[in-house]
C-alpha cells in the first residue's frame, strides 16, 4: 500500500489518542504525530501504538511529542499535511459546550498559532468545543484560507441520528441515511426530509412526534454520554468522524460530508462558520454543497447561522 504524508493530532486525551490510532490503522500516512502538554504522555501512547503495528498489520509510524505552552516541541508537526486540534477541556455533567468557551479559546488560540508557525500548508480540522466558535477562532489565529480550516460536528451528529433511527426501527445502520446541519449545539438542525431507510422516506416509517424525539436525542447526544460517563466525554464516535474527514482530505476523495465550513452566500447565508454539507479533498473544502431543504429546515439553518455568528464574533477578543 502506498503511504504518504504526515498528519498531526494535537492533544493526547481519549479523543486525540483514539483519533491517532484510527489514522495510523488506515495505513495511508507515513507518519502520525501525537502531541500533548503532559510530559511523556504522547511519547508513551505513541510507543504503545507502534507496538500494535505487528498485530494490526499497519506500517504508519506514530511519533509522540511533549509540547510546552511556550511553543516548544511543536517542531515535531513541521510539514504536516493535516492537523487535527483536539486540545481543550472536555465537558463535565451539567455543562454545556458553551461553558467551555473562555478556557478552550485560550488553548485553541495558542495551538493554532503554533500550527501556523510550523505547519503553514496544513489543512486544520478542529474538534475542540464549543465547536463552531473554536473553528472560527482557529481560522483567525492561523490566518489560513477559510477552506483550509474545518470543524468536525455534522459527521458526528449525523452518525448519532443514524444510530438512533436504526435502533428504533431495528434495521442495520447501513440501511439508514440521515443528515444534521447547523451548529454543534442547541441550534443543531437535523434534516428529516433528507432521511431515509432503504431509500424509503423516514416520514413514511415513523410518526412526526417520534422523529422529533430522535431529533432531540441527537441534539443532546453528547450530553447524554457525558452524564453516563460522569467524567470525560465521548470519543469513539467523535474520533471516527474526525479521522474520516482527515482521510477524505488526504486521499483527495471528493467525499461529501456534513462539516463545519465557511459559508459565504450558500443557502442565502453570508460570512459564518456553520454546519453544512461540503466536498472534501486536498486543500480542505472544495465547495459547499447546497442540500435541498424544506422551508422550515432552511429557516432553522438561517436561525442557527445568526446564533453562531454572534458567538463567533465574541471569540475574536478571547
Amino acid at each position: 500500500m502506498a503511504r504518504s504524508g504526515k498528519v498531526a493530532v494535537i492533544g493526547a486525551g481519549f479523543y486525540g489518542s483514539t483519533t491517532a490510532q484510527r489514522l495510523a490503522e488506515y495505513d495511508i500516512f507515513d507518519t502520525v504525530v501525537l502531541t500533548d502538554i503532559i510530559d511523556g504522555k504522547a511519547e508513551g501512547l505513541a510507543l504503545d501504538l507502534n507496538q500494535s503495528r505487528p498485530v494490526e498489520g499497519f506500517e504508519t509510524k506514530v511519533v509522540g511529542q511533549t509540547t510546552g505552552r511556550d511553543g516548544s516541541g511543536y517542531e515535531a508537526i513541521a510539514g504536516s499535511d493535516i492537523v487535527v486540534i483536539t486540545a481543550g477541556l472536555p465537558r463535565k455533567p451539567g455543562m454545556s459546550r458553551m461553558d467551555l468557551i473562555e478556557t478552550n479559546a485560550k488553548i485553541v488560540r495558542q495551538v493554532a498559532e503554533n500550527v501556523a508557525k510550523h505547519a503553514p500548508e496544513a489543512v486544520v480540522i478542529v474538534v475542540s468545543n464549543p465547536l463552531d466558535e473554536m473553528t472560527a477562532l482557529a481560522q483567525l489565529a492561523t490566518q489560513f484560507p477559510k477552506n483550509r480550516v474545518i470543524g468536525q460536528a455534522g459527521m458526528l451528529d449525523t452518525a448519532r441520528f443514524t444510530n438512533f433511527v436504526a435502533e428504533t426501527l431495528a434495521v442495520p445502520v447501513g440501511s439508514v441515511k440521515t443528515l444534521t446541519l447547523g451548529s454543534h449545539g442547541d441550534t443543531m438542525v437535523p434534516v428529516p426530509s433528507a432521511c431515509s431507510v432503504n431509500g424509503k422516506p423516514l416520514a413514511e416509517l415513523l410518526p412526526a412526534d417520534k422523529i422529533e424525539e430522535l431529533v432531540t436525542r441527537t441534539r443532546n447526544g453528547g450530553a447524554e454520554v457525558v452524564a453516563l460517563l460522569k467524567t470525560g466525554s465521548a470519543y469513539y464516535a467523535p474520533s471516527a468522524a474526525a479521522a474520516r474527514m482527515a482521510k477524505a482530505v488526504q486521499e483527495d476523495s471528493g467525499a461529501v460530508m456534513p462539516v463545519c465550513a465557511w459559508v459565504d452566500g450558500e443557502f442565502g447565508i453570508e460570512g459564518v462558520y456553520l454546519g453544512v454539507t461540503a466536498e472534501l479533498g486536498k486543500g480542505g473544502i472544495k465547495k459547499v454543497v447546497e442540500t435541498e431543504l424544506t422551508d422550515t429546515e432552511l429557516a432553522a439553518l438561517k436561525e442557527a447561522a445568526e446564533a453562531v455568528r454572534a458567538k463567533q464574533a465574541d471569540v475574536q477578543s478571547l
Side-chain angles (χ1 to χ4, degrees):
M1 179 182 290
R3 295 170 204 86
S4 65
K6 181 176 181 178
V7 58
V9 180
I10 311 299
F14 287 128
Y15 194 150
S17 59
T18 309
T19 301
Q21 177 187 0
R22 294 188 191 280
L23 292 169
E25 289 180 352
Y26 285 156
D27 209 22
I28 62 173
F29 297 96
D30 287 325
T31 309
V32 175
V33 178
L34 180 63
T35 77
D36 202 87
I37 60 169
I38 297 175
D39 187 32
K41 183 176 185 179
E43 290 88 341
L45 290 169
L47 180 61
D48 192 13
L49 282 168
N50 283 325
Q51 291 167 0
S52 77
R53 293 189 301 165
V55 181
E56 288 298 317
F58 64 94
E59 296 291 342
T60 297
K61 183 70 186 287
V62 184
V63 175
Q65 177 64 53
T66 300
T67 56
R69 288 185 170 83
D70 60 355
S72 59
Y74 275 95
E75 59 274 4
I77 74 168
S80 293
D81 303 289
I82 304 165
V83 177
V84 183
I85 300 179
T86 77
L89 298 181
R91 283 194 283 173
K92 296 177 181 177
M95 290 178 72
S96 73
R97 294 181 178 95
M98 293 309 300
D99 291 334
L100 299 170
I101 191 165
E102 287 198 23
T103 299
N104 282 356
K106 293 181 176 66
I107 296 170
V108 169
R109 181 178 286 279
Q110 187 256 351
V111 169
E113 288 171 349
N114 280 295
V115 170
K117 180 178 179 181
H118 294 283
E121 302 303 318
V123 170
V124 177
I125 299 173
V126 181
V127 303
S128 308
N129 274 318
L131 187 280
D132 306 280
E133 291 73 21
M134 294 303 101
T135 304
L137 177 60
Q139 191 280 322
L140 287 168
T142 57
Q143 290 296 295
F144 286 180
K146 293 181 175 72
N147 64 292
R148 284 208 279 127
V149 182
I150 320 166
Q152 186 289 108
M155 282 284 287
L156 169 61
D157 297 326
T158 296
R160 286 173 170 160
F161 196 10
T162 297
N163 183 63
F164 296 150
V165 169
E167 288 186 338
T168 300
L169 292 172
V171 297
V173 292
S175 68
V176 180
K177 179 184 177 184
T178 70
L179 179 64
T180 64
L181 305 175
S183 78
H184 189 49
D186 294 339
T187 51
M188 186 188 302
V189 183
V191 185
S193 71
C195 301
S196 62
V197 179
N198 287 318
K200 185 176 289 188
L202 184 60
E204 294 182 12
L205 300 170
L206 288 173
D209 61 336
K210 186 61 181 179
I211 293 175
E212 184 57 34
E213 184 183 310
L214 297 179
V215 163
T216 300
R217 191 179 180 194
T218 299
R219 194 173 283 123
N220 298 321
E224 183 178 356
V225 174
V226 169
L228 289 167
L229 292 177
K230 309 295 190 297
T231 58
S233 55
Y235 56 92
Y236 287 126
S239 67
R244 283 289 166 175
M245 289 170 61
K247 187 173 189 281
V249 171
Q250 178 65 13
E251 294 183 334
D252 197 25
S253 71
V256 176
M257 299 177 168
V259 299
C260 181
W262 183 254
V263 178
D264 205 13
E266 298 87 356
F267 299 102
I269 297 168
E270 300 286 341
V272 66
Y273 268 102
L274 187 66
V276 292
T277 43
E279 184 180 323
L280 272 62
K282 292 290 186 187
I285 300 293
K286 289 181 174 286
K287 66 177 180 180
V288 171
V289 177
E290 293 191 66
T291 312
E292 189 172 329
L293 304 174
T294 65
D295 290 345
T296 301
E297 290 161 352
L298 181 58
L301 186 63
K302 289 182 175 179
E303 183 180 327
E306 294 314 306
V308 298
R309 187 193 308 280
K311 292 294 183 183
Q312 288 175 16
D314 292 343
V315 300
Q316 296 185 44
S317 59
L318 296 177

